[in-house]
Amino acid sequence: MRSKGIHLSLALLVSMGAFSLSGCGGGDGDSARVAQTVDASKNGVTEIKITENLGYVHFKSFYQFELIGVDKDGKEINLTKKATWKITDSDVENIGKIKDGYFTAAGVKGNFTLVAEYAGLKATPKDITVSDANLTSVAIETTSNVVNECQNLTLVAKATFDETLVLPYAITWKVVSGANLGSFKDATKGILSTINSGTITLVATGIDNNNKEIPSPQFNVTVDDGLATIVVATTPAVTELRDGETATVKVSGIYTDPANPIDITDNSTITASPSDLLLIEGTKITARNGIANGKIVTLKGTCGGEEGTKNLTISERRLKSVEIENENGGTSNLSLSEGSKLNLNLTATYIDNSTKDDYTNNVVWKIDDRNNNITDDSKVTISSSGELSVNTDLNLTTAAIIYVIAEVRDGSGNVILNPSGERVEDEINITINPN
């Protein structure tokens, strides 16, 4: 009779951070069996077996069972996520659930038989005990307690129940001192992320059946000061981004070998200066607030007291055309009288046919009195924002027509060209009426 009282001398070291479920496979029903049969015909599997395990799962925990297939040549293939897994002969109703070999206990003790099938093949069933043994200790056991700054260290914890039974169990990882040097971004995983050199003290904690915390002895990690240089790059590898365009940032650290940079993106802080030119969401950057001739932004990656930079030019989207209009949207038969003003705006159309009202990026406004109707041109002016003003003493005897031109220029003062090679500018005629 299996029970929690059986004492085992086995030591199963389990990293609480190593388990992860991804994808879906196996399952029940005809479609799953058909898929398995097709797959089996490709890999030539003739035999399947559930890998050796303790035969124990804690009633508050989990276990990842695995299924191995063997072909006629003895080659082994992992079929864990392709198999159909079942719980049978359970002496407790709703003892737990299993998917892709990952068993999650339902909080009750008992026994069940584990069955795995693949393409009509059946593995030898395994008898499993779901134990309510009580957690007695947690120990951090790892091959190394030294890591370079800005790199990660994966730690391993051993949970022991009733003194001898070692099983996978939910562990919480905590930094006791040195929180400014590193942290566990996910407290349920034993992955220590470091950002600076020094000594970090940590513990791993489990909760026993009485909801009491069982902490491990404190464990010291030495973070070496080995980072020499930081390199910042983007994917795609660009030097210019236009408004709305995105890229992914990668931060690499050079330690001892310049030819072998280490990816330290997750440990680094990514910033931009000026900050209003880039929207930073994790490692994704999006250009914004660009202008026709571009603005320079410095993308920065920092960690371990080191900083790497990459300059990007942030430009607006490519313009196709611009159109002058008055503040009410009018584009024809515009007029004003002596002593009055007329506010003009510019609407921009981009190559994707989207538009922007009241466009102001590097716009130059000009007046052309090409018919020489006005004797004193200084009495008709236009501001940099497009406000047209006519003095009261212009003293016209008949209406006069002027031409207002709006040009979009680059940083060198040249009118920019659209993708078709045309100047991005517009012209409109406006009538000035005498008083």
Side-chain angles (χ1 to χ4, degrees):
M1 182 70 179
R2 295 165 294 167
S3 72
K4 69 174 184 177
I6 296 178
H7 291 275
L8 303 176
S9 59
L10 299 175
L12 176 62
L13 301 183
V14 181
S15 169
M16 295 298 104
F19 282 95
S20 63
L21 274 178
S22 62
C24 61
D28 300 319
D30 293 338
S31 61
R33 283 188 287 272
V34 170
Q36 291 169 6
T37 301
V38 171
D39 187 66
S41 67
K42 295 178 181 179
N43 58 37
V45 169
T46 58
E47 177 189 352
I48 60 173
K49 57 184 178 181
I50 300 173
T51 58
E52 291 299 320
N53 54 77
L54 285 178
Y56 278 80
V57 181
H58 195 268
F59 78 136
K60 293 170 58 179
S61 194
F62 51 83
Y63 199 96
Q64 178 68 66
F65 295 98
E66 293 190 343
L67 184 74
I68 299 298
V70 182
D71 66 14
K72 60 182 178 58
D73 299 319
K75 180 182 176 181
E76 294 188 343
I77 303 170
N78 194 312
L79 301 172
T80 301
K81 293 185 178 181
K82 296 180 178 180
T84 299
W85 295 86
K86 294 181 181 179
I87 296 171
T88 65
D89 302 325
S90 175
D91 60 2
V92 177
E93 185 177 358
N94 189 27
I95 198 167
K97 297 180 180 178
I98 192 163
K99 180 175 175 59
D100 294 342
Y102 190 89
F103 175 79
T104 304
V108 292
K109 67 176 182 177
N111 303 288
F112 69 88
T113 299
L114 180 63
V115 175
E117 299 178 1
Y118 171 79
L121 300 173
K122 295 183 179 181
T124 301
K126 296 285 186 180
D127 291 330
I128 307 297
T129 294
V130 180
S131 171
D132 66 348
N134 203 18
L135 180 67
T136 56
S137 68
V138 175
I140 297 174
E141 298 186 358
T142 187
T143 56
S144 175
N145 67 337
V146 179
V147 63
N148 272 318
E149 62 183 341
C150 301
Q151 295 186 29
N152 295 339
L153 179 65
T154 299
L155 299 156
V156 176
K158 181 180 76 172
T160 303
F161 300 82
D162 286 349
E163 298 182 357
T164 58
L165 184 61
V166 180
L167 294 173
Y169 200 65
I171 295 295
T172 300
W173 297 85
K174 301 177 184 178
V175 171
V176 177
S177 65
N180 60 321
L181 308 179
S183 64
F184 293 99
K185 294 183 178 181
D186 185 339
T188 66
K189 296 181 179 179
I191 302 175
L192 178 66
S193 175
T194 70
I195 58 174
N196 221 325
S197 60
T199 300
I200 300 176
T201 302
L202 51 93
V203 296
T205 302
I207 306 297
D208 73 4
N209 294 349
N210 301 311
N211 290 322
K212 177 184 176 182
E213 285 193 354
I214 307 296
S216 70
Q218 292 189 354
F219 186 86
N220 289 330
V221 173
T222 300
V223 185
D224 282 344
D225 183 13
L227 180 62
T229 308
I230 285 179
V231 178
V232 178
T234 60
T235 302
V238 294
T239 57
E240 180 185 33
L241 286 176
R242 294 186 178 273
D243 284 346
E245 292 181 344
T246 64
T248 301
V249 181
K250 180 179 180 180
V251 182
S252 300
I254 306 297
Y255 292 86
T256 57
D257 185 0
N260 291 293
I262 305 298
D263 187 352
I264 59 171
T265 306
D266 290 343
N267 305 61
S268 302
T269 299
I270 300 172
T271 58
S273 179
S275 60
D276 65 320
L277 299 183
L278 282 177
L279 173 64
I280 300 176
E281 300 170 292
T283 59
K284 177 185 176 183
I285 56 173
T286 304
R288 58 184 181 178
N289 299 325
I291 61 174
N293 61 314
K295 298 179 183 178
I296 301 298
V297 62
T298 301
L299 182 64
K300 302 177 183 178
T302 57
C303 191
E306 301 293 332
E307 178 181 278
T309 62
K310 177 182 176 68
N311 286 339
L312 294 171
T313 299
I314 307 302
S315 305
E316 67 175 335
R317 287 171 290 167
R318 292 292 300 275
L319 286 170
K320 181 165 67 174
S321 62
V322 290
E323 184 177 30
I324 299 171
E325 58 186 33
N326 68 9
E327 56 189 340
N328 297 318
T331 59
S332 62
N333 300 319
L334 302 185
S335 65
L336 76 166
S337 301
E338 293 175 282
S340 64
K341 297 180 179 180
L342 179 64
N343 289 314
L344 299 174
N345 297 321
L346 200 62
T347 295
T349 299
Y350 298 98
I351 59 174
D352 61 359
N353 291 323
S354 62
T355 60
K356 180 180 181 181
D357 295 331
D358 197 16
Y359 181 85
T360 59
N361 287 350
N362 280 35
V363 176
V364 175
W365 294 89
K366 299 190 300 183
I367 296 174
D368 185 349
D369 181 21
R370 65 188 61 166
N371 296 323
N372 295 316
N373 292 321
I374 300 170
T375 57
D376 188 353
D377 291 341
S378 67
K379 293 183 179 181
V380 180
T381 59
I382 191 165
S383 71
S384 60
S385 63
E387 183 183 72
L388 179 65
S389 301
V390 179
N391 286 9
T392 57
D393 57 351
L394 188 58
N395 297 324
L396 292 175
T397 57
T398 60
I401 294 177
I402 63 170
Y403 298 85
V404 173
I405 301 169
E407 301 172 339
V408 181
R409 299 185 180 182
D410 62 20
S412 300
N414 300 313
V415 178
I416 68 172
L417 304 179
N418 66 14
S420 300
E422 301 165 331
R423 291 161 60 96
V424 181
E425 62 183 3
D426 191 33
E427 176 183 296
I428 191 170
N429 62 294
I430 297 176
T431 300
I432 302 176
N433 296 309
N435 287 329

